[in-house]
């Protein structure tokens, strides 16, 4: 297909002013925040997924947030809700490309998993894409405790409910 | 409703997939020179202020707004930079004229995508560092999730989405400013390599380099200048939330487009968009986005866009032509100039300067742009001419 050739970028001959100034060597530190800290610690220490509930808006935010983004209320300690580790599949996709656009050796399935009123974005495994359906129940599979570092990927993946 | 403001000049550089000869500031200079000449402004000294649109990391320098003035003829002059889509820059320029203190304000936007070697990293870096980035996936998986949800929720089919690409790439063949015009079939689109199922390669855009400069004038000044004024009747922009997890009906609908459209319609006094607007240039960064945006902009009911497309309603000879220019699928994706590229087409159509693709008797047009993955920000503008 001729038009595909035009999609290709011609980046081979780009004239660089200096190799020295080619990169942007800045590394950032990210603070998970008050809500993020507890959310990630509960995953790491207790294999639990927590949200925060705004009683006025009747929304349970997952991942947990310190404040309600609808009504601007601060969701204090008593608003923490254990939403369980079983969610429903809100949507899914099969990623055929690596982050840099190169083809993946093994495509990965990525799901948007509804927990409380929020979504977690994570891999779906132990299933083929053909067997997935929007609305089906999926369970979180955690990494072994010793491998958990306080990150979203302490959850290894989600799998369809057996 | 504030004071009336018109677009009185437009200039653009050549649009092409790569531009190894000129740098982005030279591209903007080219567009600015043509814009001022188009309006009959002899020198940028006659212009009161300048607004530039740009985005982090796309220029390859930080504090990029320092690199704005010279190419617009604006060194030593009042300059403002807007981080966002070109229509958001247009809104800032409009408000400056509406203060009554300024009569002529220029607005620029550009894309030099061919210089951004690791664009996927720019988009990835825009994603939430705690809840999205740890997956280390290509950020377009978000578009795959959205499209799957949209198809599932509305009953729209992959074939209908494919027909968006077929239409827009064919439209682009009549546009000398379009780089991705071609005759493709529905099968070509459906059989193109899968990227993020159900999103295939031909559901996505190729990049384009180019710069666009618009000149805005107060009503009084507009009447003095060369060109037939193209009035900005309404403008609006909106953001849902940056958090993918708490967006309203994530994927199923485009809340940001609703917000932007409603604000622009209200300002323009439009009650029934599909009856009061003649044609539109609507963001088609991905095929499903054109359909989803048309529904959010109240051009048709939710879930109806695919069917209307198949009936030919959105073709250049249809009842409501959409993306006659070829859109981003046919012209190429111009990043922060995305919205301005759409404004440019509306202006050319309303002036009767659209060449082979000229629509008959159009008086009012809508341009809408989305700021792309991973954002939930959109901007809309309604333009019209006197008679």
């Amino acid at each position: 297909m001729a038009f595909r050739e035009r999609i290709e970028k011609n980046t081979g001959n780009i004239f660089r002013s200096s190799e020295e100034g080619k990169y942007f060597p800045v590394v950032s530190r990210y603070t998970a925040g008050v809500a993020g800290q507890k959310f990630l610690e509960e995953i790491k220490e207790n294999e639990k997924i927590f949200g925060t509930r705004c009683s006025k808006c009747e929304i349970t935010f997952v991942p947990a947030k310190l404040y309600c983004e609808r009504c601007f209320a601060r969701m204090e300690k008593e608003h923490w809700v254990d939403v369980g580790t079983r969610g429903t599949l809100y949507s899914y996709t099969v990623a055929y490309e690596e982050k840099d656009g190169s083809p993946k050796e093994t495509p990965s399935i990525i799901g948007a998993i509804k927990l409380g009123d929020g979504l977690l974005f994570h891999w779906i495994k132990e299933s083929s894409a053909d067997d997935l359906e929007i609305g089906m129940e999926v369970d979180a599979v955690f990494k072994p405790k010793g491998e958990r570092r306080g990150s979203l990927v302490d959850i290894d993946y989600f799998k369809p409910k057996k | 409703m504030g004071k009336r403001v018109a677009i009185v000049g437009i200039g653009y550089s050549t649009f092409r997939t790569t531009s190894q000869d000129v740098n982005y500031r030279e591209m903007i200079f080219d567009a600015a020179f043509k814009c001022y000449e188009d309006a009959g402004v002899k020198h940028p000294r006659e212009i009161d202020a300048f607004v530039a649109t740009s985005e982090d990391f796309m220029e390859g320098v930080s504090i990029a707004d320092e690199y704005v003035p010279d190419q617009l003829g604006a060194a030593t002059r009042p300059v403002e930079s807007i981080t966002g889509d070109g229509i958001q820059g247009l809104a800032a320029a409009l408000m400056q004229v509406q203060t009554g203190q300024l009569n002529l304000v220029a607005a620029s936007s550009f894309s030099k995508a061919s210089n951004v070697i690791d664009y996927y990293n720019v988009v990835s870096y825009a994603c939430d560092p705690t809840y999205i980035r740890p997956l280390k996936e290509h950020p377009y998986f978000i578009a795959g999730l959205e499209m799957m949800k949209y198809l599932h929720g509305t009953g729209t089919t992959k074939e209908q989405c494919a027909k968006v690409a077929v239409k827009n790439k064919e439209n682009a063949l009549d546009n000398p400013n379009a780089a991705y015009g071609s005759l493709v079939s529905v099968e070509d689109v459906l059989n193109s390599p899968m990227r993020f199922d159900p999103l295939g390669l031909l559901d996505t855009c190729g990049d384009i380099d180019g710069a666009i400069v618009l000149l805005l004038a107060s009503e009084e000044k507009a009447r003095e200048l060369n060109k037939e004024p193209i009035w900005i009747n309404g403008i609006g922009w909106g953001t849902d939330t940056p958090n993918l997890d708490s967006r309203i009906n994530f994927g199923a609908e485009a809340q940001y487009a609703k917000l932007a459209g409603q604000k622009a319609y209200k300002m323009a006094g439009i009650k029934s968009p599909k009856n009061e607007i003649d044609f539109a240039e609507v963001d088609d960064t991905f095929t499903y986005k054109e359909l989803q945006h048309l529904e959010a902009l109240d051009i048709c009911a939710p879930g109806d866009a695919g069917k209307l497309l198949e009936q030919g309603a959105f073709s250049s000879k249809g009842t409501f032509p959409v993306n006659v220019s070829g859109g981003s699928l046919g012209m190429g994706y111009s990043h922060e100039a995305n919205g301005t590229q759409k404004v440019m087409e509306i202006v050319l159509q309303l002036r009767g300067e659209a060449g082979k693709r000229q629509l008959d008797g159009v008086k009012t047009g809508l341009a809408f742009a989305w700021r792309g993955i991973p954002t939930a920000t959109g901007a809309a503008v309604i333009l019209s001419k006197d008679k």
Side-chain angles (χ1 to χ4, degrees), chain A residues 6 10 24 30 65 69-70 90-91 93-94 96-97 99 104 108 119 123, chain B residues 20 57 114 120 133 135 137 145 149 179 195-197 241 243 245-246 250:
Chain A
R6 282 193 268 166
N10 185 359
F24 180 47
Y30 296 98
K65 292 174 174 39
E69 56 180 48
R70 304 284 165 82
Y90 178 87
S91 187
T93 183
V94 187
Y96 288 87
E97 291 180 17
K99 194 178 146 194
K104 274 194 179 199
S108 55
L119 297 171
W123 297 292
Chain B
Q20 294 184 40
F57 299 113
S114 69
Y120 57 89
R133 268 194 252 162
L135 297 175
E137 293 281 357
L145 290 173
K149 189 69 186 178
R195 297 189 67 188
F196 302 91
D197 197 5
T241 164
N243 304 312
D245 54 86
S246 52
F250 168 78

mmCIF file of all heavy atoms in Angstrom, chain A residues 6 10 24 30 65 69-70 90-91 93-94 96-97 99 104 108 119 123, chain B residues 20 57 114 120 133 135 137 145 149 179 195-197 241 243 245-246 250:
data_model
loop_
_atom_site.group_PDB
_atom_site.id
_atom_site.type_symbol
_atom_site.label_atom_id
_atom_site.label_comp_id
_atom_site.label_asym_id
_atom_site.label_seq_id
_atom_site.Cartn_x
_atom_site.Cartn_y
_atom_site.Cartn_z
ATOM 1 N N ARG A 6 4.049 6.837 3.210
ATOM 2 C CA ARG A 6 4.012 8.238 3.598
ATOM 3 C C ARG A 6 3.796 8.401 5.096
ATOM 4 O O ARG A 6 4.037 9.455 5.644
ATOM 5 C CB ARG A 6 2.913 8.969 2.821
ATOM 6 C CG ARG A 6 3.364 9.294 1.403
ATOM 7 C CD ARG A 6 2.406 10.259 0.792
ATOM 8 N NE ARG A 6 1.365 9.546 0.086
ATOM 9 C CZ ARG A 6 0.261 10.118 -0.317
ATOM 10 N NH1 ARG A 6 0.026 11.378 -0.051
ATOM 11 N NH2 ARG A 6 -0.627 9.433 -0.987
ATOM 12 N N ASN A 10 10.572 10.213 8.451
ATOM 13 C CA ASN A 10 11.934 10.274 7.978
ATOM 14 C C ASN A 10 12.791 10.901 9.065
ATOM 15 O O ASN A 10 12.969 12.102 9.137
ATOM 16 C CB ASN A 10 11.965 11.106 6.692
ATOM 17 C CG ASN A 10 13.335 11.104 6.082
ATOM 18 O OD1 ASN A 10 14.256 10.503 6.616
ATOM 19 N ND2 ASN A 10 13.465 11.782 4.965
ATOM 20 N N PHE A 24 17.328 15.247 27.444
ATOM 21 C CA PHE A 24 16.780 16.093 28.487
ATOM 22 C C PHE A 24 16.928 15.318 29.794
ATOM 23 O O PHE A 24 16.047 14.553 30.160
ATOM 24 C CB PHE A 24 15.317 16.374 28.145
ATOM 25 C CG PHE A 24 14.596 17.251 29.123
ATOM 26 C CD1 PHE A 24 15.156 18.423 29.586
ATOM 27 C CD2 PHE A 24 13.324 16.912 29.557
ATOM 28 C CE1 PHE A 24 14.481 19.230 30.469
ATOM 29 C CE2 PHE A 24 12.636 17.722 30.440
ATOM 30 C CZ PHE A 24 13.228 18.890 30.902
ATOM 31 N N TYR A 30 8.216 11.343 42.557
ATOM 32 C CA TYR A 30 6.768 11.491 42.653
ATOM 33 C C TYR A 30 6.292 11.118 44.050
ATOM 34 O O TYR A 30 6.681 10.090 44.579
ATOM 35 C CB TYR A 30 6.063 10.623 41.617
ATOM 36 C CG TYR A 30 6.391 11.052 40.208
ATOM 37 C CD1 TYR A 30 7.373 10.403 39.481
ATOM 38 C CD2 TYR A 30 5.751 12.138 39.634
ATOM 39 C CE1 TYR A 30 7.702 10.817 38.204
ATOM 40 C CE2 TYR A 30 6.065 12.563 38.362
ATOM 41 C CZ TYR A 30 7.045 11.897 37.644
ATOM 42 O OH TYR A 30 7.371 12.322 36.388
ATOM 43 N N LYS A 65 -8.826 8.850 46.810
ATOM 44 C CA LYS A 65 -8.421 10.250 46.682
ATOM 45 C C LYS A 65 -8.656 10.964 48.001
ATOM 46 O O LYS A 65 -9.536 10.584 48.764
ATOM 47 C CB LYS A 65 -9.233 10.940 45.582
ATOM 48 C CG LYS A 65 -8.933 10.429 44.179
ATOM 49 C CD LYS A 65 -9.882 11.052 43.172
ATOM 50 C CE LYS A 65 -9.549 10.705 41.738
ATOM 51 N NZ LYS A 65 -9.097 9.350 41.455
ATOM 52 N N GLU A 69 -13.540 15.120 43.739
ATOM 53 C CA GLU A 69 -13.339 16.060 42.639
ATOM 54 C C GLU A 69 -14.660 16.592 42.073
ATOM 55 O O GLU A 69 -14.655 17.468 41.237
ATOM 56 C CB GLU A 69 -12.478 15.435 41.542
ATOM 57 C CG GLU A 69 -13.021 14.142 40.991
ATOM 58 C CD GLU A 69 -12.110 13.576 39.909
ATOM 59 O OE1 GLU A 69 -10.889 13.509 40.132
ATOM 60 O OE2 GLU A 69 -12.623 13.219 38.850
ATOM 61 N N ARG A 70 -15.776 16.081 42.579
ATOM 62 C CA ARG A 70 -17.073 16.615 42.129
ATOM 63 C C ARG A 70 -17.521 17.764 43.031
ATOM 64 O O ARG A 70 -17.906 18.812 42.551
ATOM 65 C CB ARG A 70 -18.133 15.518 42.131
ATOM 66 C CG ARG A 70 -17.780 14.285 41.309
ATOM 67 C CD ARG A 70 -17.928 14.521 39.818
ATOM 68 N NE ARG A 70 -17.250 13.462 39.048
ATOM 69 C CZ ARG A 70 -17.771 12.271 38.791
ATOM 70 N NH1 ARG A 70 -18.981 11.981 39.204
ATOM 71 N NH2 ARG A 70 -17.085 11.375 38.109
ATOM 72 N N TYR A 90 -14.754 -3.249 32.838
ATOM 73 C CA TYR A 90 -15.451 -2.092 32.253
ATOM 74 C C TYR A 90 -15.132 -1.999 30.766
ATOM 75 O O TYR A 90 -15.997 -1.696 29.949
ATOM 76 C CB TYR A 90 -14.998 -0.838 32.990
ATOM 77 C CG TYR A 90 -15.589 0.457 32.485
ATOM 78 C CD1 TYR A 90 -16.814 0.912 32.964
ATOM 79 C CD2 TYR A 90 -14.910 1.233 31.537
ATOM 80 C CE1 TYR A 90 -17.354 2.103 32.509
ATOM 81 C CE2 TYR A 90 -15.447 2.421 31.085
ATOM 82 C CZ TYR A 90 -16.672 2.853 31.574
ATOM 83 O OH TYR A 90 -17.199 4.037 31.110
ATOM 84 N N SER A 91 -13.881 -2.238 30.414
ATOM 85 C CA SER A 91 -13.467 -2.303 29.010
ATOM 86 C C SER A 91 -12.126 -3.014 28.948
ATOM 87 O O SER A 91 -11.472 -3.206 29.975
ATOM 88 C CB SER A 91 -13.353 -0.900 28.406
ATOM 89 O OG SER A 91 -13.106 -0.984 27.007
ATOM 90 N N THR A 93 -8.590 -4.023 26.045
ATOM 91 C CA THR A 93 -7.965 -3.882 24.730
ATOM 92 C C THR A 93 -6.796 -4.850 24.667
ATOM 93 O O THR A 93 -6.295 -5.286 25.708
ATOM 94 C CB THR A 93 -7.485 -2.432 24.496
ATOM 95 O OG1 THR A 93 -6.952 -2.315 23.172
ATOM 96 C CG2 THR A 93 -6.391 -2.021 25.478
ATOM 97 N N VAL A 94 -6.397 -5.187 23.462
ATOM 98 C CA VAL A 94 -5.199 -6.005 23.288
ATOM 99 C C VAL A 94 -4.120 -5.103 22.700
ATOM 100 O O VAL A 94 -4.301 -4.546 21.614
ATOM 101 C CB VAL A 94 -5.448 -7.211 22.355
ATOM 102 C CG1 VAL A 94 -4.222 -8.130 22.334
ATOM 103 C CG2 VAL A 94 -6.689 -7.978 22.791
ATOM 104 N N TYR A 96 -0.793 -4.523 20.893
ATOM 105 C CA TYR A 96 0.124 -5.235 20.003
ATOM 106 C C TYR A 96 1.463 -4.514 19.874
ATOM 107 O O TYR A 96 2.345 -4.977 19.175
ATOM 108 C CB TYR A 96 -0.505 -5.390 18.614
ATOM 109 C CG TYR A 96 -1.636 -6.396 18.597
ATOM 110 C CD1 TYR A 96 -2.932 -6.021 18.907
ATOM 111 C CD2 TYR A 96 -1.381 -7.731 18.285
ATOM 112 C CE1 TYR A 96 -3.970 -6.944 18.914
ATOM 113 C CE2 TYR A 96 -2.411 -8.666 18.286
ATOM 114 C CZ TYR A 96 -3.702 -8.264 18.600
ATOM 115 O OH TYR A 96 -4.713 -9.188 18.609
ATOM 116 N N GLU A 97 1.565 -3.338 20.499
ATOM 117 C CA GLU A 97 2.797 -2.561 20.373
ATOM 118 C C GLU A 97 3.438 -2.336 21.734
ATOM 119 O O GLU A 97 2.751 -2.100 22.722
ATOM 120 C CB GLU A 97 2.491 -1.186 19.756
ATOM 121 C CG GLU A 97 2.072 -1.263 18.312
ATOM 122 C CD GLU A 97 1.760 0.115 17.716
ATOM 123 O OE1 GLU A 97 2.166 1.133 18.319
ATOM 124 O OE2 GLU A 97 1.120 0.153 16.666
ATOM 125 N N LYS A 99 5.836 0.046 24.176
ATOM 126 C CA LYS A 99 5.722 1.470 24.459
ATOM 127 C C LYS A 99 6.337 2.320 23.341
ATOM 128 O O LYS A 99 5.860 3.404 23.035
ATOM 129 C CB LYS A 99 6.418 1.761 25.795
ATOM 130 C CG LYS A 99 6.089 3.108 26.365
ATOM 131 C CD LYS A 99 6.776 3.275 27.705
ATOM 132 C CE LYS A 99 7.185 4.717 27.900
ATOM 133 N NZ LYS A 99 8.132 4.860 28.998
ATOM 134 N N LYS A 104 4.939 -6.137 19.707
ATOM 135 C CA LYS A 104 5.153 -6.958 20.908
ATOM 136 C C LYS A 104 5.316 -8.416 20.504
ATOM 137 O O LYS A 104 4.584 -8.899 19.646
ATOM 138 C CB LYS A 104 3.930 -6.865 21.824
ATOM 139 C CG LYS A 104 3.950 -5.697 22.748
ATOM 140 C CD LYS A 104 2.903 -5.852 23.852
ATOM 141 C CE LYS A 104 3.015 -4.639 24.753
ATOM 142 N NZ LYS A 104 2.432 -4.816 26.047
ATOM 143 N N SER A 108 -0.333 -8.013 24.945
ATOM 144 C CA SER A 108 -0.871 -8.049 26.313
ATOM 145 C C SER A 108 -2.307 -7.548 26.307
ATOM 146 O O SER A 108 -2.679 -6.703 25.489
ATOM 147 C CB SER A 108 -0.013 -7.201 27.253
ATOM 148 O OG SER A 108 0.103 -5.885 26.762
ATOM 149 N N LEU A 119 -11.935 3.119 38.479
ATOM 150 C CA LEU A 119 -11.337 2.146 37.567
ATOM 151 C C LEU A 119 -9.869 1.946 37.920
ATOM 152 O O LEU A 119 -9.176 2.895 38.266
ATOM 153 C CB LEU A 119 -11.411 2.651 36.121
ATOM 154 C CG LEU A 119 -12.786 2.867 35.488
ATOM 155 C CD1 LEU A 119 -12.635 3.586 34.139
ATOM 156 C CD2 LEU A 119 -13.515 1.540 35.294
ATOM 157 N N TRP A 123 -3.289 -5.343 33.674
ATOM 158 C CA TRP A 123 -3.287 -6.456 32.742
ATOM 159 C C TRP A 123 -4.336 -7.501 33.121
ATOM 160 O O TRP A 123 -4.631 -7.712 34.291
ATOM 161 C CB TRP A 123 -1.918 -7.145 32.749
ATOM 162 C CG TRP A 123 -0.820 -6.248 32.275
ATOM 163 C CD1 TRP A 123 -0.640 -5.768 31.004
ATOM 164 C CD2 TRP A 123 0.253 -5.710 33.059
ATOM 165 N NE1 TRP A 123 0.472 -4.962 30.961
ATOM 166 C CE2 TRP A 123 1.044 -4.907 32.200
ATOM 167 C CE3 TRP A 123 0.630 -5.810 34.402
ATOM 168 C CZ2 TRP A 123 2.178 -4.222 32.634
ATOM 169 C CZ3 TRP A 123 1.759 -5.139 34.839
ATOM 170 C CH2 TRP A 123 2.515 -4.355 33.964
ATOM 171 N N GLN B 20 12.919 18.871 6.807
ATOM 172 C CA GLN B 20 14.284 18.913 7.326
ATOM 173 C C GLN B 20 14.976 20.231 7.028
ATOM 174 O O GLN B 20 16.022 20.524 7.601
ATOM 175 C CB GLN B 20 15.094 17.758 6.744
ATOM 176 C CG GLN B 20 14.580 16.426 7.237
ATOM 177 C CD GLN B 20 15.421 15.261 6.756
ATOM 178 O OE1 GLN B 20 16.632 15.332 6.711
ATOM 179 N NE2 GLN B 20 14.764 14.197 6.382
ATOM 180 N N PHE B 57 7.592 19.969 25.725
ATOM 181 C CA PHE B 57 8.482 18.990 25.097
ATOM 182 C C PHE B 57 8.419 18.949 23.567
ATOM 183 O O PHE B 57 9.244 18.304 22.943
ATOM 184 C CB PHE B 57 8.244 17.567 25.630
ATOM 185 C CG PHE B 57 8.486 17.446 27.109
ATOM 186 C CD1 PHE B 57 7.446 17.178 27.964
ATOM 187 C CD2 PHE B 57 9.752 17.625 27.635
ATOM 188 C CE1 PHE B 57 7.657 17.079 29.339
ATOM 189 C CE2 PHE B 57 9.968 17.529 28.999
ATOM 190 C CZ PHE B 57 8.928 17.253 29.856
ATOM 191 N N SER B 114 7.942 15.876 13.220
ATOM 192 C CA SER B 114 9.039 15.059 12.677
ATOM 193 C C SER B 114 10.329 15.231 13.472
ATOM 194 O O SER B 114 11.246 14.435 13.347
ATOM 195 C CB SER B 114 9.273 15.383 11.200
ATOM 196 O OG SER B 114 9.805 16.686 11.058
ATOM 197 N N TYR B 120 6.141 8.988 21.763
ATOM 198 C CA TYR B 120 5.444 8.083 22.681
ATOM 199 C C TYR B 120 5.854 8.374 24.131
ATOM 200 O O TYR B 120 5.076 8.205 25.054
ATOM 201 C CB TYR B 120 5.723 6.609 22.323
ATOM 202 C CG TYR B 120 7.185 6.253 22.320
ATOM 203 C CD1 TYR B 120 7.818 5.811 23.472
ATOM 204 C CD2 TYR B 120 7.955 6.383 21.157
ATOM 205 C CE1 TYR B 120 9.162 5.510 23.484
ATOM 206 C CE2 TYR B 120 9.303 6.092 21.161
ATOM 207 C CZ TYR B 120 9.905 5.665 22.325
ATOM 208 O OH TYR B 120 11.234 5.374 22.343
ATOM 209 N N ARG B 133 1.523 4.919 34.553
ATOM 210 C CA ARG B 133 2.869 4.689 34.036
ATOM 211 C C ARG B 133 3.538 3.394 34.498
ATOM 212 O O ARG B 133 4.355 2.853 33.749
ATOM 213 C CB ARG B 133 3.751 5.888 34.347
ATOM 214 C CG ARG B 133 3.745 6.898 33.216
ATOM 215 C CD ARG B 133 4.883 7.891 33.413
ATOM 216 N NE ARG B 133 4.385 9.183 33.813
ATOM 217 C CZ ARG B 133 5.130 10.128 34.377
ATOM 218 N NH1 ARG B 133 6.411 9.903 34.625
ATOM 219 N NH2 ARG B 133 4.611 11.287 34.700
ATOM 220 N N LEU B 135 2.594 0.537 34.341
ATOM 221 C CA LEU B 135 2.336 -0.562 33.394
ATOM 222 C C LEU B 135 3.360 -0.569 32.257
ATOM 223 O O LEU B 135 3.512 -1.577 31.564
ATOM 224 C CB LEU B 135 0.919 -0.446 32.813
ATOM 225 C CG LEU B 135 -0.251 -0.574 33.801
ATOM 226 C CD1 LEU B 135 -1.577 -0.316 33.093
ATOM 227 C CD2 LEU B 135 -0.260 -1.948 34.472
ATOM 228 N N GLU B 137 3.229 0.584 29.387
ATOM 229 C CA GLU B 137 2.598 0.264 28.102
ATOM 230 C C GLU B 137 2.556 1.516 27.226
ATOM 231 O O GLU B 137 2.634 2.639 27.722
ATOM 232 C CB GLU B 137 1.159 -0.233 28.341
ATOM 233 C CG GLU B 137 1.065 -1.565 29.069
ATOM 234 C CD GLU B 137 1.329 -2.758 28.174
ATOM 235 O OE1 GLU B 137 1.528 -2.587 26.954
ATOM 236 O OE2 GLU B 137 1.335 -3.890 28.708
ATOM 237 N N LEU B 145 -9.045 1.059 24.832
ATOM 238 C CA LEU B 145 -10.083 0.867 25.857
ATOM 239 C C LEU B 145 -11.303 1.727 25.571
ATOM 240 O O LEU B 145 -12.446 1.279 25.702
ATOM 241 C CB LEU B 145 -9.530 1.237 27.238
ATOM 242 C CG LEU B 145 -8.490 0.321 27.868
ATOM 243 C CD1 LEU B 145 -7.953 0.964 29.144
ATOM 244 C CD2 LEU B 145 -9.080 -1.045 28.173
ATOM 245 N N LYS B 149 -15.125 0.433 24.584
ATOM 246 C CA LYS B 149 -16.273 0.821 25.407
ATOM 247 C C LYS B 149 -17.320 1.552 24.560
ATOM 248 O O LYS B 149 -18.525 1.335 24.709
ATOM 249 C CB LYS B 149 -15.793 1.727 26.555
ATOM 250 C CG LYS B 149 -16.855 2.014 27.590
ATOM 251 C CD LYS B 149 -17.191 0.762 28.383
ATOM 252 C CE LYS B 149 -18.355 0.982 29.331
ATOM 253 N NZ LYS B 149 -18.693 -0.256 30.050
ATOM 254 N N ALA B 179 -1.740 15.639 3.465
ATOM 255 C CA ALA B 179 -0.626 14.740 3.153
ATOM 256 C C ALA B 179 -1.028 13.271 3.112
ATOM 257 O O ALA B 179 -0.264 12.436 2.649
ATOM 258 C CB ALA B 179 0.483 14.928 4.176
ATOM 259 N N ARG B 195 -3.376 -2.355 16.318
ATOM 260 C CA ARG B 195 -2.480 -1.686 17.274
ATOM 261 C C ARG B 195 -2.964 -1.934 18.709
ATOM 262 O O ARG B 195 -2.268 -2.530 19.503
ATOM 263 C CB ARG B 195 -2.425 -0.184 16.987
ATOM 264 C CG ARG B 195 -1.838 0.141 15.627
ATOM 265 C CD ARG B 195 -1.600 1.642 15.449
ATOM 266 N NE ARG B 195 -0.551 2.112 16.359
ATOM 267 C CZ ARG B 195 -0.230 3.400 16.533
ATOM 268 N NH1 ARG B 195 -0.895 4.345 15.879
ATOM 269 N NH2 ARG B 195 0.733 3.743 17.347
ATOM 270 N N PHE B 196 -4.179 -1.464 18.993
ATOM 271 C CA PHE B 196 -4.753 -1.644 20.337
ATOM 272 C C PHE B 196 -6.203 -2.035 20.114
ATOM 273 O O PHE B 196 -7.077 -1.173 20.039
ATOM 274 C CB PHE B 196 -4.601 -0.344 21.154
ATOM 275 C CG PHE B 196 -3.163 0.067 21.270
ATOM 276 C CD1 PHE B 196 -2.584 0.917 20.335
ATOM 277 C CD2 PHE B 196 -2.366 -0.462 22.273
ATOM 278 C CE1 PHE B 196 -1.237 1.243 20.401
ATOM 279 C CE2 PHE B 196 -1.019 -0.144 22.344
ATOM 280 C CZ PHE B 196 -0.455 0.713 21.402
ATOM 281 N N ASP B 197 -6.414 -3.317 19.915
ATOM 282 C CA ASP B 197 -7.699 -3.869 19.515
ATOM 283 C C ASP B 197 -8.849 -3.213 20.297
ATOM 284 O O ASP B 197 -8.799 -3.181 21.522
ATOM 285 C CB ASP B 197 -7.672 -5.381 19.778
ATOM 286 C CG ASP B 197 -8.773 -6.103 19.029
ATOM 287 O OD1 ASP B 197 -9.486 -5.458 18.242
ATOM 288 O OD2 ASP B 197 -8.920 -7.319 19.249
ATOM 289 N N THR B 241 -11.814 15.365 33.700
ATOM 290 C CA THR B 241 -10.852 15.294 34.800
ATOM 291 C C THR B 241 -9.620 14.600 34.231
ATOM 292 O O THR B 241 -9.740 13.761 33.334
ATOM 293 C CB THR B 241 -11.405 14.507 36.015
ATOM 294 O OG1 THR B 241 -10.305 14.166 36.885
ATOM 295 C CG2 THR B 241 -12.089 13.222 35.607
ATOM 296 N N ASN B 243 -7.962 12.430 35.687
ATOM 297 C CA ASN B 243 -7.909 11.056 36.192
ATOM 298 C C ASN B 243 -8.762 10.133 35.329
ATOM 299 O O ASN B 243 -9.978 10.285 35.265
ATOM 300 C CB ASN B 243 -8.399 11.015 37.637
ATOM 301 C CG ASN B 243 -7.595 11.960 38.516
ATOM 302 O OD1 ASN B 243 -6.368 11.956 38.464
ATOM 303 N ND2 ASN B 243 -8.275 12.792 39.272
ATOM 304 N N ASP B 245 -9.588 7.260 35.961
ATOM 305 C CA ASP B 245 -10.443 6.413 36.793
ATOM 306 C C ASP B 245 -11.760 7.071 37.187
ATOM 307 O O ASP B 245 -12.678 6.392 37.601
ATOM 308 C CB ASP B 245 -9.676 5.989 38.057
ATOM 309 C CG ASP B 245 -9.109 7.188 38.807
ATOM 310 O OD1 ASP B 245 -9.834 7.765 39.625
ATOM 311 O OD2 ASP B 245 -7.942 7.555 38.560
ATOM 312 N N SER B 246 -11.824 8.405 37.095
ATOM 313 C CA SER B 246 -13.052 9.054 37.576
ATOM 314 C C SER B 246 -13.741 9.889 36.501
ATOM 315 O O SER B 246 -14.586 10.722 36.804
ATOM 316 C CB SER B 246 -12.730 9.908 38.807
ATOM 317 O OG SER B 246 -11.651 10.772 38.542
ATOM 318 N N PHE B 250 -16.214 7.080 31.135
ATOM 319 C CA PHE B 250 -14.946 6.941 30.416
ATOM 320 C C PHE B 250 -15.121 6.097 29.141
ATOM 321 O O PHE B 250 -15.594 4.965 29.197
ATOM 322 C CB PHE B 250 -13.900 6.280 31.331
ATOM 323 C CG PHE B 250 -12.658 5.830 30.636
ATOM 324 C CD1 PHE B 250 -11.675 6.748 30.296
ATOM 325 C CD2 PHE B 250 -12.473 4.498 30.291
ATOM 326 C CE1 PHE B 250 -10.523 6.344 29.637
ATOM 327 C CE2 PHE B 250 -11.328 4.078 29.632
ATOM 328 C CZ PHE B 250 -10.348 5.013 29.303
#
